[in-house]
Amino acid sequence: MAVREMAPKANGEACGVCGGRTYVIERRGDQAQARICACSEHCSVCGGRGHVLVEREGEFSQKVGPRRYEVMEQCTCTKLRKRISRFDALGIPASAAHATFDNYRASKEEQDRGRNVAMQFAYQYVQGNSSKGFILSGPVGTGKTHLLAATLAHLALELGVRGRYVEISLLYATIRRGFQEGKSGGEIIGPLSEVEVLAIDEMGKGRGSPFEMETLDELIARRYNAGRTTLFATNYSLEPEKRAVRSAAPSGYRTTEDARGAVREMELLRERVGERIYSRLCELCTFIEFPKDTPDLRRTRQEMEAPMRHPSGHGRPLGR
């Protein structure tokens, strides 16, 4: 996040709750939400009015010359409330509530590149301009959702950009429920087509049914035609050369999940979404692919924490 002026406490120090950001991000249910920190609930600038008088200088005619005048502008507290509202509307999952570029942990060079591409996109984003997005490909647990969430959070809280996060299979499920309520797919896709920046997670996931392909194609086509920016993350490979190195499945015992994972590793995103959508992705996005052996951060964290737990399973640290 961009550096803000530290919100002072009564003793002049920065607030220990929000760290000077003036807002706090929390997990509420299954989504990330934000609120104004207690240190900034009462604005000392506008006294709670939400607007301030600002003195300007302008030249309206050469004869009169420069003149000073006052205009009414939104106070910073009003802008903060709007940005918090934009963040709350993102739909970022609760599991990524505190995702930032600073706390992203990379173990591979490609992950560092992914973070740098996402940061550059976020920090150099110009509101209202059409910008090239990015697509992150890699195994599960490698921080793709983390980077999508960090990007959207920065855009909403620092720039006030209207964005949305969607997990593609949940979008399909939402549209199916909408059919039962008499809604059309277009009614649900419409708002997603219009937000300035949309992040689509788990691209390629699903059964690949005609309904799913038509839904995805319509959503991307609408955004493509309107020149709007879209970000993506997928577990499927972006590398076209993988088709040439496919081999027979290894013999021996494998669990169902192992088998599914092996198939997914060999399957290409272009096969999951079709040539039309894939062609548009090539134009819309910078491609970043994490290697197959990139560690699963969630599994690594679990394995590191396991030795610290008591053998009985009650979570007491060993040696205590």
Side-chain angles (χ1 to χ4, degrees), residues 106-132:
S107 60
K108 296 284 186 178
E109 181 180 345
E110 291 82 355
Q111 287 177 292
D112 267 328
R113 177 173 176 256
R115 174 173 53 190
N116 290 338
V117 167
M119 285 179 62
Q120 185 176 28
F121 171 87
Y123 292 150
Q124 296 183 1
Y125 186 82
V126 178
Q127 229 172 330
N129 286 5
S130 180
S131 300
K132 189 171 185 177

Side-chain angles (χ1 to χ4, degrees), residues 63-130:
K63 182 178 180 180
V64 175
R67 297 195 62 177
R68 305 187 74 83
Y69 60 97
E70 289 185 332
V71 295
M72 193 81 73
E73 290 189 352
Q74 290 182 345
C75 181
T76 54
C77 67
T78 299
K79 294 178 182 178
L80 175 62
R81 288 187 177 89
K82 286 187 175 181
R83 292 181 178 188
I84 286 177
S85 177
R86 294 277 165 89
F87 177 85
D88 290 349
L90 289 173
I92 290 176
S95 58
H98 302 293
T100 67
F101 296 121
D102 290 337
N103 62 23
Y104 179 73
R105 297 293 174 258
S107 60
K108 296 284 186 178
E109 181 180 345
E110 291 82 355
Q111 287 177 292
D112 267 328
R113 177 173 176 256
R115 174 173 53 190
N116 290 338
V117 167
M119 285 179 62
Q120 185 176 28
F121 171 87
Y123 292 150
Q124 296 183 1
Y125 186 82
V126 178
Q127 229 172 330
N129 286 5
S130 180

Side-chain angles (χ1 to χ4, degrees), residues 282-299:
C282 292
E283 182 178 343
L284 291 170
C285 299
T286 298
F287 282 26
I288 304 102
E289 178 146 9
F290 302 159
K292 288 189 300 181
D293 62 347
T294 304
D296 181 335
L297 298 177
R298 291 186 288 264
R299 182 179 296 183

Side-chain angles (χ1 to χ4, degrees), residues 15-258:
C15 174
V17 177
C18 69
R21 296 178 302 177
T22 69
Y23 59 82
V24 177
I25 296 176
E26 302 172 326
R27 299 171 61 142
R28 296 183 202 162
D30 61 352
Q31 292 190 359
Q33 299 281 275
R35 62 174 174 83
I36 295 178
C37 183
C39 72
S40 302
E41 286 181 349
H42 304 289
C43 182
S44 59
V45 177
C46 69
R49 292 185 298 273
H51 57 268
V52 290
L53 280 173
V54 179
E55 191 175 76
R56 302 290 188 199
E57 182 177 300
E59 186 172 322
F60 301 97
S61 70
Q62 293 183 348
K63 182 178 180 180
V64 175
R67 297 195 62 177
R68 305 187 74 83
Y69 60 97
E70 289 185 332
V71 295
M72 193 81 73
E73 290 189 352
Q74 290 182 345
C75 181
T76 54
C77 67
T78 299
K79 294 178 182 178
L80 175 62
R81 288 187 177 89
K82 286 187 175 181
R83 292 181 178 188
I84 286 177
S85 177
R86 294 277 165 89
F87 177 85
D88 290 349
L90 289 173
I92 290 176
S95 58
H98 302 293
T100 67
F101 296 121
D102 290 337
N103 62 23
Y104 179 73
R105 297 293 174 258
S107 60
K108 296 284 186 178
E109 181 180 345
E110 291 82 355
Q111 287 177 292
D112 267 328
R113 177 173 176 256
R115 174 173 53 190
N116 290 338
V117 167
M119 285 179 62
Q120 185 176 28
F121 171 87
Y123 292 150
Q124 296 183 1
Y125 186 82
V126 178
Q127 229 172 330
N129 286 5
S130 180
S131 300
K132 189 171 185 177
F134 57 83
I135 179 168
L136 305 169
S137 166
V140 298
T142 51
K144 302 183 298 297
T145 301
H146 184 118
L147 291 176
L148 290 182
T151 301
L152 289 178
H154 177 91
L155 294 179
L157 291 169
E158 304 301 331
L159 303 177
V161 173
R162 289 178 63 244
R164 277 291 301 277
Y165 167 95
V166 293
E167 200 269 86
I168 196 63
S169 62
L170 296 181
L171 175 60
Y172 297 148
T174 299
I175 295 175
R176 288 190 180 98
R177 286 195 301 270
F179 290 157
Q180 297 173 359
E181 299 169 0
K183 297 180 182 178
S184 67
E187 289 181 72
I188 299 172
I189 290 177
L192 297 178
S193 305
E194 295 170 1
V195 294
E196 192 166 337
V197 179
L198 175 67
I200 300 178
D201 205 353
E202 300 287 357
M203 184 73 161
K205 186 177 180 180
R207 293 173 292 184
S209 67
F211 158 73
E212 292 177 351
M213 292 299 97
E214 289 167 9
T215 298
L216 185 60
D217 183 65
E218 181 181 350
L219 176 56
I220 292 178
R222 286 193 184 194
R223 296 191 60 80
Y224 175 85
N225 293 334
R228 295 193 173 98
T229 303
T230 311
L231 315 177
F232 302 88
T234 181
N235 292 331
Y236 294 94
S237 177
L238 305 173
E239 300 175 3
E241 63 270 18
K242 284 195 173 184
R243 174 181 290 280
V245 298
R246 289 186 179 184
S247 59
S251 59
Y253 173 77
R254 292 193 302 169
T255 65
T256 302
E257 187 57 36
D258 288 338

